[in-house]
Amino acid sequence: MSNLSSTYKAPSLLKRLLGPALMPNRFDLRHGINGARIIAGMFYFPHLLSKLRDLSGSADFFASAGLHPAWLFLTLAIIVEASSGIALVLGLFTRWAGLLSAGAMAVAIYAVFATDGIGWYWAGGGVEYLVFWGLLSIAISYDAWNR
C-alpha cells in the first residue's frame, strides 16, 4: 500500500482549474442541468445569426452602447457567443463556458441599459431575459465545478 501512495501524483493546478474537457454523462437528460445547458447553448445560435445577418446594424448598436471600437466589440461578441454556444451544447469545458456565457450576458445587459435605459420587462426592451440567461449560465458553471 505504501508503494501506491508514494507513486500518486496530484493533478497540476492548471488541470484542476480547467476541469474535464468533456462533462461526464453530458447528454444524460435525467440530470436536469444537462437539458438546461444544451438549451442555453442552443439559444446562442439565433442570437448569433441575427448579428451575422446585419453586421453593419450590429456594429451600429455596439457604437450606440458606447462600446468602441464597435467592430472590435462585435467581433468579440461573435467569437464569445459562438464558442459559448458550441461548448454549452456539447458539454466542452463547461466550467468556463458557463462563466464566459454569464460574462457575455453582463455585457449585453450593460448595452441594453446604455441604449434603452434601465428596464426589466423583456418585451419592453428590458433585461429580464438576459438576467435569466446569465444566472442560468452561472448555475451551469457551478454544477460543472461540483461534478
Side-chain angles (χ1 to χ4, degrees):
M1 186 70 166
S2 64
N3 287 341
L4 290 177
S5 63
S6 65
T7 59
Y8 173 74
K9 185 176 179 184
S12 71
L13 177 62
L14 180 61
K15 283 185 179 182
R16 287 189 312 227
L17 280 175
L18 283 177
L22 296 173
M23 288 294 298
N25 303 315
R26 65 192 182 279
F27 296 114
D28 182 357
L29 296 181
R30 291 175 296 176
H31 190 62
I33 198 76
N34 285 339
R37 174 185 48 78
I38 292 166
I39 291 168
M42 289 172 55
F43 270 55
Y44 270 107
F45 300 117
H47 196 76
L48 181 62
L49 184 59
S50 71
K51 284 182 180 60
L52 294 172
R53 284 185 146 169
D54 185 12
L55 290 172
S56 180
S58 296
D60 290 344
F61 173 77
F62 279 83
S64 69
L67 298 169
H68 298 285
W71 285 100
L72 172 65
F73 280 96
L74 174 59
T75 302
L76 288 173
I78 289 169
I79 291 168
V80 167
E81 290 175 13
S83 58
S84 293
I86 291 167
L88 289 172
V89 168
L90 298 178
L92 301 171
F93 297 103
T94 307
R95 294 174 173 187
W96 300 103
L99 291 177
L100 187 64
S101 174
M105 292 302 102
V107 173
I109 290 167
Y110 162 78
V112 169
F113 283 165
T115 57
D116 296 335
I118 296 175
W120 177 253
Y121 186 54
W122 174 253
V127 296
E128 74 176 317
Y129 172 70
L130 301 172
V131 170
F132 172 77
W133 200 354
L135 291 174
L136 178 60
S137 297
I138 290 170
I140 291 165
S141 179
Y142 179 80
D143 176 72
W145 280 95
N146 289 297
R147 283 205 206 183

